[in-house]
Amino acid sequence: MNNVLKQKSWSVYVAGGLAGILLCLSVLITGKYVGASTTFVRSAGLIEKIFARERVAKMDYFVKTKVKIDWQWMFVAGIFFGSLLASKLSGDYRFTALPPMWERRFGPDRLKRWIAAFVGGMVAMFGARMTGGCPSGHGLAGSSQLAVSGYVSLICFFIAGMIMARFLYGGGESR
Amino acid sequence: MSLLVWGFFTGIIFGFLLEKGQVLRYDRQLGALRLKDLAIVKFMLSTVLVAMVGIYLLHDLGLVELRLKPTMLGANIVGALIFGAGWGLLGYCPGTAVGALGEGRWDSLFGIVGMLCGAAIYAEVYPALKTNVLAWGEFGKITLPGLLGINHWIVIIFLIMVIIPLFFWFERKSL
């Protein structure tokens, strides 16, 4: 058992399948379906509340999503610690500034990557809130429930993502 | 209170599985969007494969309730396309950005800050969107079997029969 937990990687099918069992158990035990993007709304609200408590209390979207620490907030925090635990156990943890693929294409300039990551994150979250979920909420929980919104979103996530990837990397053979 | 603990616990296991599946990587996410390395697609489809069978089994037994996100074609399509563009630039989705940070890939931190800003911006413009984009093509909480007017197990078996051969094809093409 100990050896299994320390392995660098598991078959992606096994890891994914176990995540499927986890999703079912979560729904069975607590009634909660996985998701991640609403947590960013609640966190943004919590941060804004420090500076403008009354304003946040009056904003439609924060009223609708309820600015508080809830099941999903703890779930997202847990993802961080689970990943930390797994990578520390296998010795896979590395303090990495730049993704290798990015560096091969765009060079070692960290600022360039930081700007791209920041802008990408901003755009992605705006879109996720508009469609009402991210690859967890729509892609995993939505698709598993056979929700039409899940499949429509998942397909559109990939279409636009592929266009952006092609724009950044071209259609070349480089890996 | 115990709901928060369950959330945290579920997140830790999910983060652990994402790390062992090696899907918390920019290179893997862009690899999928460039159709060169489909690990994240394999992970997601494996999860959906198991979870859809489990959830509908539990649902048929009356043990769990579905929690469908409404289908709003305008918001789903436009929002998901915006998400995809940002995702292609960032190279992490909301859940995996947090997980990547746990693995030491700290470029994701800029993405996380960007996502918090994106959520805050969305909260600002939400009142204006509510009456237009968000109101286009509303169909409510619909599922694929509901839309097609057939039993959910027919859809599930169909999806299994599509996904399993797809896995074999991915492996044969070493994607």
Side-chain angles (χ1 to χ4, degrees):
Chain A
M1 186 65 186
N2 208 9
N3 284 337
V4 174
L5 294 179
K6 282 182 179 170
Q7 268 174 23
K8 264 205 183 313
S9 69
W10 295 351
S11 151
V12 73
Y13 297 111
V14 172
L18 288 172
I21 294 174
L22 178 71
L23 209 148
C24 296
L25 287 176
S26 173
V27 177
L28 182 62
I29 296 169
T30 61
K32 295 290 180 188
Y33 285 89
V34 299
S37 61
T38 317
T39 292
F40 287 82
V41 177
R42 298 202 173 105
S43 303
L46 287 171
I47 295 168
E48 283 185 49
K49 248 167 98 170
I50 300 170
F51 305 104
R53 174 171 283 273
E54 282 167 25
R55 186 159 178 275
V56 170
K58 270 186 263 167
M59 282 171 68
D60 269 11
Y61 199 60
F62 287 135
V63 172
K64 181 173 123 88
T65 44
K66 298 185 189 75
V67 178
K68 59 168 189 188
I69 307 251
D70 67 339
W71 180 92
Q72 195 200 82
W73 204 97
M74 294 303 290
F75 171 76
V76 173
I79 293 175
F80 172 84
F81 289 102
S83 160
L84 182 67
L85 179 69
S87 59
K88 286 286 183 189
L89 275 177
S90 64
D92 225 13
Y93 183 92
R94 292 274 182 288
F95 213 60
T96 319
L98 290 174
M101 188 192 282
W102 173 278
E103 196 170 357
R104 283 197 296 277
R105 175 76 178 88
F106 297 104
D109 184 353
R110 290 183 180 184
L111 187 64
K112 203 192 266 183
R113 170 63 188 146
W114 293 346
I115 293 169
F118 177 82
V119 174
M122 198 161 62
V123 172
M125 187 51 64
F126 188 92
R129 289 333 299 159
M130 189 183 281
T131 183
C134 59
S136 300
H138 269 315
L140 300 180
S143 301
S144 299
Q145 295 178 76
L146 308 177
V148 174
S149 54
Y151 287 89
V152 171
S153 299
L154 193 54
I155 290 165
C156 293
F157 290 159
F158 273 89
I159 290 173
M162 280 159 63
I163 293 170
M164 178 54 80
R166 196 174 169 91
F167 172 74
L168 292 174
Y169 287 89
E173 278 305 299
S174 66
R175 279 195 90 99
Chain B
M1 183 61 212
S2 80
L3 208 54
L4 296 185
V5 177
W6 275 116
F8 191 57
F9 186 62
T10 310
I12 287 177
I13 300 175
F14 190 58
F16 197 94
L17 293 171
L18 288 170
E19 207 280 336
K20 288 296 175 204
Q22 299 192 321
V23 291
L24 297 170
R25 302 173 179 194
Y26 173 97
D27 287 31
R28 280 282 156 83
Q29 309 232 353
L30 263 290
L33 294 178
R34 296 173 68 199
L35 301 176
K36 291 179 186 299
D37 171 357
L38 299 183
I40 67 159
V41 177
K42 294 175 193 172
F43 188 101
M44 289 185 84
L45 290 179
S46 302
T47 305
V48 170
L49 201 68
V50 172
M52 70 181 174
V53 172
I55 286 169
Y56 272 95
L57 208 59
L58 294 169
H59 186 247
D60 283 357
L61 293 169
L63 295 171
V64 303
E65 279 175 25
L66 299 183
R67 281 182 59 141
L68 300 162
K69 289 178 190 289
T71 295
M72 312 164 288
L73 284 186
N76 288 149
I77 294 171
V78 177
L81 289 174
I82 294 174
F83 175 87
W87 179 32
L89 196 54
L90 171 57
Y92 303 110
C93 61
T96 51
V98 175
L101 190 61
E103 231 185 5
R105 300 173 196 281
W106 58 279
D107 58 321
S108 64
L109 192 59
F110 292 84
I112 291 169
V113 175
M115 287 193 270
L116 289 171
C117 294
I121 294 168
Y122 188 79
E124 295 296 328
V125 300
Y126 175 72
L129 294 175
K130 203 163 55 173
T131 47
N132 50 72
V133 188
L134 298 183
W136 298 341
E138 281 189 281
F139 291 89
K141 299 182 174 185
I142 53 170
T143 62
L144 291 176
L147 188 69
L148 299 168
I150 53 179
N151 185 281
H152 45 273
W153 289 105
I154 298 175
V155 177
I156 291 170
I157 290 166
F158 171 80
L159 287 171
I160 293 172
M161 281 166 42
V162 171
I163 293 171
I164 302 266
L166 212 52
F167 284 163
F168 280 98
W169 187 74
F170 290 164
E171 294 309 315
R172 211 172 57 230
K173 295 271 171 189
S174 32
L175 283 167

